[in-house]
Short mmCIF file of all heavy atoms in Angstrom, two decimals:
data_model
loop_
_atom_site.label_atom_id
_atom_site.label_comp_id
_atom_site.label_asym_id
_atom_site.label_seq_id
_atom_site.Cartn_x
_atom_site.Cartn_y
_atom_site.Cartn_z
N ILE A 4 105.44 -52.94 -56.98
CA ILE A 4 105.91 -51.96 -56.01
C ILE A 4 107.42 -51.91 -56.11
O ILE A 4 108.09 -52.95 -56.13
CB ILE A 4 105.48 -52.34 -54.58
CG1 ILE A 4 103.95 -52.28 -54.44
CG2 ILE A 4 106.15 -51.43 -53.56
CD1 ILE A 4 103.36 -50.90 -54.61
N PHE A 5 107.97 -50.70 -56.17
CA PHE A 5 109.41 -50.51 -56.27
C PHE A 5 109.90 -49.86 -54.98
O PHE A 5 109.73 -48.65 -54.79
CB PHE A 5 109.76 -49.63 -57.47
CG PHE A 5 109.49 -50.26 -58.81
CD1 PHE A 5 108.20 -50.48 -59.27
CD2 PHE A 5 110.56 -50.63 -59.64
CE1 PHE A 5 107.95 -51.05 -60.52
CE2 PHE A 5 110.32 -51.19 -60.89
CZ PHE A 5 109.02 -51.42 -61.32
N VAL A 6 110.48 -50.65 -54.08
CA VAL A 6 110.95 -50.13 -52.80
C VAL A 6 112.25 -49.36 -53.02
O VAL A 6 113.16 -49.83 -53.71
CB VAL A 6 111.16 -51.28 -51.80
CG1 VAL A 6 111.64 -50.74 -50.45
CG2 VAL A 6 109.87 -52.08 -51.62
N ASP A 7 112.34 -48.18 -52.43
CA ASP A 7 113.52 -47.32 -52.58
C ASP A 7 114.60 -47.79 -51.61
O ASP A 7 114.62 -47.41 -50.44
CB ASP A 7 113.15 -45.86 -52.32
CG ASP A 7 114.26 -44.90 -52.69
OD1 ASP A 7 115.43 -45.33 -52.78
OD2 ASP A 7 113.98 -43.70 -52.88
N ALA A 8 115.51 -48.62 -52.12
CA ALA A 8 116.53 -49.23 -51.25
C ALA A 8 117.47 -48.19 -50.66
O ALA A 8 117.96 -48.35 -49.53
CB ALA A 8 117.31 -50.27 -52.04
N SER A 9 117.73 -47.12 -51.39
CA SER A 9 118.66 -46.10 -50.88
C SER A 9 118.09 -45.39 -49.67
O SER A 9 118.83 -44.80 -48.87
CB SER A 9 119.00 -45.10 -51.98
OG SER A 9 117.83 -44.41 -52.41
N LYS A 10 116.77 -45.42 -49.52
CA LYS A 10 116.12 -44.80 -48.36
C LYS A 10 115.88 -45.81 -47.24
O LYS A 10 115.54 -45.42 -46.11
CB LYS A 10 114.79 -44.15 -48.77
CG LYS A 10 114.97 -42.84 -49.52
CD LYS A 10 113.63 -42.21 -49.85
CE LYS A 10 113.78 -40.75 -50.27
NZ LYS A 10 114.79 -40.51 -51.30
N VAL A 11 116.01 -47.09 -47.53
CA VAL A 11 115.85 -48.13 -46.51
C VAL A 11 117.20 -48.50 -45.92
O VAL A 11 117.42 -48.40 -44.70
CB VAL A 11 115.16 -49.38 -47.10
CG1 VAL A 11 115.10 -50.51 -46.06
CG2 VAL A 11 113.75 -49.05 -47.58
N LEU A 12 118.14 -48.92 -46.76
CA LEU A 12 119.47 -49.35 -46.29
C LEU A 12 120.43 -48.17 -46.40
O LEU A 12 121.33 -48.15 -47.23
CB LEU A 12 119.95 -50.55 -47.09
CG LEU A 12 119.06 -51.80 -47.03
CD1 LEU A 12 119.72 -52.95 -47.77
CD2 LEU A 12 118.75 -52.21 -45.59
N THR A 13 120.25 -47.22 -45.53
CA THR A 13 121.00 -45.96 -45.61
C THR A 13 122.47 -46.13 -45.23
O THR A 13 123.30 -45.26 -45.52
CB THR A 13 120.36 -44.89 -44.71
OG1 THR A 13 120.27 -45.41 -43.37
CG2 THR A 13 118.97 -44.53 -45.20
N HIS A 14 122.82 -47.26 -44.57
CA HIS A 14 124.20 -47.47 -44.15
C HIS A 14 124.99 -48.29 -45.18
O HIS A 14 126.20 -48.47 -45.01
CB HIS A 14 124.25 -48.17 -42.79
CG HIS A 14 123.60 -47.38 -41.69
ND1 HIS A 14 123.94 -46.08 -41.42
CD2 HIS A 14 122.61 -47.71 -40.82
CE1 HIS A 14 123.21 -45.63 -40.41
NE2 HIS A 14 122.39 -46.61 -40.03
N VAL A 15 124.32 -48.81 -46.20
CA VAL A 15 125.02 -49.59 -47.22
C VAL A 15 125.44 -48.63 -48.34
O VAL A 15 124.60 -48.00 -48.98
CB VAL A 15 124.11 -50.70 -47.80
CG1 VAL A 15 124.82 -51.44 -48.93
CG2 VAL A 15 123.70 -51.67 -46.69
N PRO A 16 126.74 -48.49 -48.60
CA PRO A 16 127.19 -47.56 -49.65
C PRO A 16 126.74 -48.03 -51.03
O PRO A 16 126.55 -49.23 -51.27
CB PRO A 16 128.71 -47.58 -49.53
CG PRO A 16 129.04 -48.85 -48.83
CD PRO A 16 127.88 -49.16 -47.93
N LYS A 17 126.58 -47.08 -51.92
CA LYS A 17 126.08 -47.41 -53.26
C LYS A 17 126.99 -48.41 -53.97
O LYS A 17 126.53 -49.23 -54.76
CB LYS A 17 125.90 -46.15 -54.11
CG LYS A 17 127.18 -45.38 -54.45
CD LYS A 17 126.85 -44.16 -55.31
CE LYS A 17 128.10 -43.43 -55.80
NZ LYS A 17 128.89 -42.87 -54.69
N GLU A 18 128.28 -48.36 -53.67
CA GLU A 18 129.24 -49.30 -54.28
C GLU A 18 129.00 -50.74 -53.86
O GLU A 18 129.54 -51.67 -54.46
CB GLU A 18 130.67 -48.89 -53.92
CG GLU A 18 131.12 -47.58 -54.53
CD GLU A 18 130.66 -46.36 -53.72
OE1 GLU A 18 130.08 -46.55 -52.62
OE2 GLU A 18 130.87 -45.22 -54.19
N GLU A 19 128.17 -50.92 -52.82
CA GLU A 19 127.84 -52.27 -52.35
C GLU A 19 126.39 -52.63 -52.65
O GLU A 19 125.84 -53.55 -52.06
CB GLU A 19 128.16 -52.39 -50.85
CG GLU A 19 129.66 -52.24 -50.56
CD GLU A 19 130.02 -52.31 -49.09
OE1 GLU A 19 129.14 -52.70 -48.27
OE2 GLU A 19 131.16 -51.99 -48.74
N PHE A 20 125.76 -51.88 -53.55
CA PHE A 20 124.49 -52.23 -54.18
C PHE A 20 123.34 -52.45 -53.17
O PHE A 20 122.93 -53.58 -52.89
CB PHE A 20 124.65 -53.46 -55.07
CG PHE A 20 125.78 -53.31 -56.07
CD1 PHE A 20 126.97 -54.00 -55.91
CD2 PHE A 20 125.65 -52.46 -57.15
CE1 PHE A 20 128.01 -53.85 -56.82
CE2 PHE A 20 126.68 -52.30 -58.07
CZ PHE A 20 127.87 -52.99 -57.91
N PRO A 21 122.81 -51.34 -52.60
CA PRO A 21 121.75 -51.46 -51.59
C PRO A 21 120.52 -52.24 -52.05
O PRO A 21 119.96 -53.04 -51.29
CB PRO A 21 121.40 -49.99 -51.30
CG PRO A 21 122.64 -49.23 -51.63
CD PRO A 21 123.27 -49.95 -52.78
N ALA A 22 120.05 -52.04 -53.28
CA ALA A 22 118.84 -52.72 -53.73
C ALA A 22 119.05 -54.22 -53.83
O ALA A 22 118.16 -55.01 -53.49
CB ALA A 22 118.36 -52.15 -55.06
N GLN A 23 120.21 -54.65 -54.32
CA GLN A 23 120.50 -56.08 -54.37
C GLN A 23 120.62 -56.64 -52.96
O GLN A 23 120.16 -57.76 -52.68
CB GLN A 23 121.79 -56.33 -55.16
CG GLN A 23 122.14 -57.81 -55.32
CD GLN A 23 121.13 -58.57 -56.16
OE1 GLN A 23 120.44 -57.98 -57.00
NE2 GLN A 23 121.04 -59.86 -55.93
N THR A 24 121.21 -55.86 -52.04
CA THR A 24 121.32 -56.28 -50.65
C THR A 24 119.94 -56.44 -50.04
O THR A 24 119.67 -57.43 -49.33
CB THR A 24 122.14 -55.25 -49.86
OG1 THR A 24 123.42 -55.09 -50.48
CG2 THR A 24 122.33 -55.68 -48.42
N LEU A 25 119.04 -55.51 -50.32
CA LEU A 25 117.67 -55.60 -49.81
C LEU A 25 116.94 -56.80 -50.41
O LEU A 25 116.16 -57.47 -49.72
CB LEU A 25 116.91 -54.30 -50.12
CG LEU A 25 115.51 -54.17 -49.53
CD1 LEU A 25 115.52 -54.29 -48.02
CD2 LEU A 25 114.88 -52.84 -49.96
N THR A 26 117.19 -57.08 -51.67
CA THR A 26 116.60 -58.25 -52.33
C THR A 26 117.01 -59.54 -51.60
O THR A 26 116.17 -60.41 -51.33
CB THR A 26 117.06 -58.32 -53.80
OG1 THR A 26 116.69 -57.12 -54.47
CG2 THR A 26 116.44 -59.51 -54.52
N VAL A 27 118.29 -59.63 -51.26
CA VAL A 27 118.79 -60.80 -50.54
C VAL A 27 118.18 -60.87 -49.15
O VAL A 27 117.76 -61.94 -48.69
CB VAL A 27 120.33 -60.76 -50.47
CG1 VAL A 27 120.87 -61.85 -49.53
CG2 VAL A 27 120.93 -60.93 -51.86
N GLU A 28 118.10 -59.74 -48.46
CA GLU A 28 117.56 -59.71 -47.09
C GLU A 28 116.09 -60.15 -47.07
O GLU A 28 115.67 -60.86 -46.15
CB GLU A 28 117.71 -58.32 -46.49
CG GLU A 28 119.14 -57.93 -46.15
CD GLU A 28 119.72 -58.72 -45.00
OE1 GLU A 28 118.95 -59.29 -44.20
OE2 GLU A 28 120.96 -58.78 -44.90
N LEU A 29 115.31 -59.72 -48.05
CA LEU A 29 113.89 -60.11 -48.10
C LEU A 29 113.76 -61.61 -48.35
O LEU A 29 112.90 -62.27 -47.76
CB LEU A 29 113.16 -59.33 -49.19
CG LEU A 29 111.67 -59.63 -49.34
CD1 LEU A 29 110.90 -59.33 -48.05
CD2 LEU A 29 111.06 -58.85 -50.50
N TYR A 30 114.62 -62.15 -49.21
CA TYR A 30 114.58 -63.60 -49.43
C TYR A 30 114.95 -64.36 -48.16
O TYR A 30 114.28 -65.33 -47.78
CB TYR A 30 115.53 -63.99 -50.57
CG TYR A 30 115.59 -65.50 -50.74
CD1 TYR A 30 114.53 -66.20 -51.29
CD2 TYR A 30 116.70 -66.22 -50.28
CE1 TYR A 30 114.56 -67.58 -51.40
CE2 TYR A 30 116.74 -67.60 -50.40
CZ TYR A 30 115.66 -68.29 -50.95
OH TYR A 30 115.68 -69.65 -51.05
N LEU A 31 116.00 -63.92 -47.48
CA LEU A 31 116.40 -64.58 -46.25
C LEU A 31 115.31 -64.49 -45.18
O LEU A 31 115.11 -65.42 -44.40
CB LEU A 31 117.69 -63.96 -45.72
CG LEU A 31 118.97 -64.26 -46.53
CD1 LEU A 31 120.13 -63.42 -46.01
CD2 LEU A 31 119.31 -65.74 -46.48
N GLU A 32 114.59 -63.37 -45.16
CA GLU A 32 113.55 -63.15 -44.15
C GLU A 32 112.38 -64.11 -44.33
O GLU A 32 111.89 -64.69 -43.35
CB GLU A 32 113.05 -61.70 -44.23
CG GLU A 32 111.92 -61.37 -43.28
CD GLU A 32 112.35 -61.38 -41.82
OE1 GLU A 32 113.52 -61.08 -41.52
OE2 GLU A 32 111.49 -61.71 -40.97
N ALA A 33 111.91 -64.29 -45.57
CA ALA A 33 110.65 -65.04 -45.74
C ALA A 33 110.57 -65.85 -47.02
O ALA A 33 109.49 -66.32 -47.38
CB ALA A 33 109.48 -64.05 -45.69
N GLY A 34 111.67 -66.00 -47.74
CA GLY A 34 111.62 -66.79 -48.97
C GLY A 34 110.92 -66.07 -50.11
O GLY A 34 110.47 -66.72 -51.07
N ILE A 35 110.83 -64.74 -50.02
CA ILE A 35 110.18 -63.94 -51.06
C ILE A 35 111.24 -63.46 -52.04
O ILE A 35 112.24 -62.87 -51.64
CB ILE A 35 109.43 -62.75 -50.43
CG1 ILE A 35 108.32 -63.25 -49.51
CG2 ILE A 35 108.86 -61.83 -51.52
CD1 ILE A 35 107.75 -62.19 -48.59
N ARG A 36 111.01 -63.73 -53.33
CA ARG A 36 111.99 -63.36 -54.35
C ARG A 36 111.52 -62.13 -55.12
O ARG A 36 110.54 -62.18 -55.84
CB ARG A 36 112.21 -64.54 -55.31
CG ARG A 36 113.16 -64.22 -56.46
CD ARG A 36 113.73 -65.45 -57.12
NE ARG A 36 112.74 -66.24 -57.85
CZ ARG A 36 113.06 -67.25 -58.67
NH1 ARG A 36 114.35 -67.58 -58.84
NH2 ARG A 36 112.12 -67.93 -59.28
N GLY A 37 112.23 -61.03 -54.93
CA GLY A 37 112.01 -59.83 -55.71
C GLY A 37 113.09 -59.70 -56.77
O GLY A 37 113.77 -60.67 -57.10
N CYS A 38 113.27 -58.49 -57.28
CA CYS A 38 114.25 -58.27 -58.34
C CYS A 38 114.84 -56.88 -58.20
O CYS A 38 114.10 -55.91 -58.03
CB CYS A 38 113.58 -58.42 -59.71
SG CYS A 38 114.67 -58.11 -61.11
N GLU A 39 116.17 -56.78 -58.26
CA GLU A 39 116.84 -55.49 -58.22
C GLU A 39 116.66 -54.76 -59.55
O GLU A 39 116.93 -55.31 -60.61
CB GLU A 39 118.34 -55.70 -57.95
CG GLU A 39 119.11 -54.41 -57.73
CD GLU A 39 120.00 -54.00 -58.89
OE1 GLU A 39 119.71 -54.36 -60.05
OE2 GLU A 39 120.98 -53.30 -58.65
#
């Protein structure tokens, strides 16, 4: 499954890498490791 980070983290500018930010947030939430 490829989650569309630009549609989830709408306040994170592209220059700050929304998908990588979401990857980190999911790990912090539950120890789940995805990939940007």
Side-chain angles (χ1 to χ4, degrees):
I4 294 295
F5 292 70
V6 181
D7 190 340
S9 62
K10 285 182 165 50
V11 175
L12 301 185
T13 55
H14 299 307
V15 176
K17 65 179 185 297
E18 293 83 6
E19 296 178 11
F20 307 107
Q23 183 65 26
T24 304
L25 186 58
T26 302
V27 170
E28 289 291 340
L29 180 60
Y30 175 73
L31 289 172
E32 177 68 31
I35 297 166
R36 177 161 67 169
C38 178
E39 187 254 27

